Amino acid sequence: MPAIRTLSQQAIGFRHRHRVLMQVGSLLLLCFASHLMAAPAADAIHKVDFRSMDYGAFEELAMEPDQTYKVIKGKVERDRGFGYFSVNEVQYGDLDNDGRTDAVVHTFDNHGGTGTFSMLTWFYIEPDGTLTARNIDGGDRSDNGVDGFKFKGSEVTVQANFGDAACCANGVVIKQFTASGGGLKEISPRRVGPSTTQPPEALRLAKGAHAADIRLAGSAGQYRQVTARKGQTLTLQLTQPVAGSILQVIAPNGKTLAYDQANASLQVVLPVSGAYIVGAIAAEVPQVGYGDGIPGALRVAIR
């Protein structure tokens, strides 16, 4: 005959099961809450004030540990009375495509001399909430200093200066990066173009002349601006050709109209009237940021 439980025994059993369920539920809620606390929000990077923080905590940026990197309102003067560290611009995207917002920060670092390092740094938040920094690109003024950048989606496009003298950029090398496997990688062939912060000078043709020379004489490359009309033919010709030299024509809308690295001359019929930019760049500039130089001149003819 099966055992018969009294109402009192049933009530005790119910209370025991209820207590166990409550304890299990509390543990599950505690674990869930801990998980929520441990995982930063996808847009947590927006809570970081990049214009008021201590950049000295990041080895990638603090090139001289004895100097001050604690930025307030975008800039800090050095403790030693000269030089500065400043934040130029911050842009947001998702460089590693992990669903969390990242930041790319453009900074200037001057140590008291003529050199000013223009750097681009990727900041992201680790799953444990740690803010981490990785260098993307940068250098000293015309020696790979960052001229400009655009961070969109999971790609950042960088314009890095090149030039014959440290003070002055002749143009820029354009690079595109994304993040993969915990590191950065370039995702397209490098290109060249004129500087956006130091626009090319105008090339003026003498009255009645149809051509003029841009002196190269060993330069890593030169750009000039020429004004022409729709339907005219623009011809570029190296007076002393060097294999692999780049000839380039940029339309008034800023897009490359013609780009040639196989010939010593380039000819194009102009689609619109306006200011065009023409240039000749040494073959090795896109890869190394400088060149052995192109002798002679670039002859520019408009007819």
Side-chain angles (χ1 to χ4, degrees):
M1 181 176 178
I4 298 174
R5 300 180 66 189
T6 65
L7 290 175
S8 175
Q9 290 173 326
Q10 290 178 7
I12 292 172
F14 174 78
R15 285 197 298 271
H16 175 71
R17 288 194 300 275
H18 179 72
R19 213 167 26 245
V20 170
L21 288 172
M22 288 293 290
Q23 290 172 347
V24 171
S26 298
L27 286 172
L28 288 173
L29 284 172
L30 183 61
C31 290
F32 182 66
S34 298
H35 173 73
L36 289 178
M37 291 176 65
D43 62 349
I45 196 82
H46 285 286
K47 294 183 179 180
V48 178
D49 185 357
F50 288 102
R51 295 189 179 276
S52 296
M53 63 178 280
D54 185 4
Y55 285 84
F58 304 96
E59 293 182 4
E60 290 81 0
L61 286 148
M63 291 183 285
E64 293 189 20
D66 64 320
Q67 301 235 347
T68 301
Y69 288 84
K70 191 171 183 178
V71 175
I72 299 174
K73 294 183 179 180
K75 188 173 182 179
V76 61
E77 302 295 332
R78 297 296 191 197
D79 283 341
R80 297 190 303 201
F82 51 84
Y84 63 89
F85 182 89
S86 66
V87 178
N88 181 53
E89 187 177 1
V90 183
Q91 294 184 19
Y92 297 91
D94 185 5
L95 195 59
D96 54 2
N97 208 25
D98 67 350
R100 298 182 184 278
T101 305
D102 306 325
V104 171
V105 182
H106 182 200
T107 58
F108 292 108
D109 194 356
N110 176 278
H111 295 274
T114 57
T116 299
F117 290 84
S118 177
M119 309 297 293
L120 209 60
T121 307
W122 168 36
F123 285 90
Y124 59 94
I125 294 180
E126 304 273 11
D128 64 359
T130 303
L131 181 64
T132 301
R134 288 182 182 270
N135 276 339
I136 298 175
D137 206 0
D140 179 13
R141 295 167 294 165
S142 69
D143 185 11
N144 205 55
V146 174
D147 177 74
F149 77 103
K150 184 176 182 180
F151 186 17
K152 185 176 181 181
S154 59
E155 298 177 7
V156 59
T157 302
V158 185
Q159 295 184 170
N161 292 321
F162 73 87
D164 299 319
C167 68
C168 313
N170 294 19
V172 296
V173 177
I174 302 166
K175 316 170 192 179
Q176 287 186 295
F177 295 89
T178 190
S180 177
L184 291 157
K185 69 174 184 178
E186 289 193 55
I187 55 176
S188 64
R190 295 182 178 185
R191 298 170 289 134
V192 292
S195 169
T196 56
T197 57
Q198 300 178 46
E201 298 175 1
L203 177 66
R204 303 192 184 281
L205 279 64
K207 188 175 181 179
H210 297 286
D213 287 352
I214 300 173
R215 184 174 180 270
L216 297 171
S219 171
Q222 294 287 339
Y223 284 98
R224 292 291 186 273
Q225 186 180 104
V226 296
T227 301
R229 298 188 306 274
K230 177 181 178 180
Q232 287 186 306
T233 298
L234 174 64
T235 303
L236 305 184
Q237 174 75 53
L238 290 173
T239 61
Q240 297 183 42
V242 176
S245 297
I246 300 166
L247 298 179
Q248 188 176 19
V249 179
I250 298 172
N253 63 3
K255 295 183 178 180
T256 296
L257 179 63
Y259 191 98
D260 192 292
Q261 201 168 356
N263 302 287
S265 65
L266 175 64
Q267 191 171 82
V268 60
V269 177
L270 303 179
V272 297
S273 299
Y276 289 80
I277 295 175
V278 299
I281 311 299
E284 58 271 31
V285 165
Q287 296 307 316
V288 298
Y290 56 88
D292 292 334
I294 308 173
L298 174 65
R299 184 154 297 153
V300 181
I302 304 173
R303 292 186 181 274

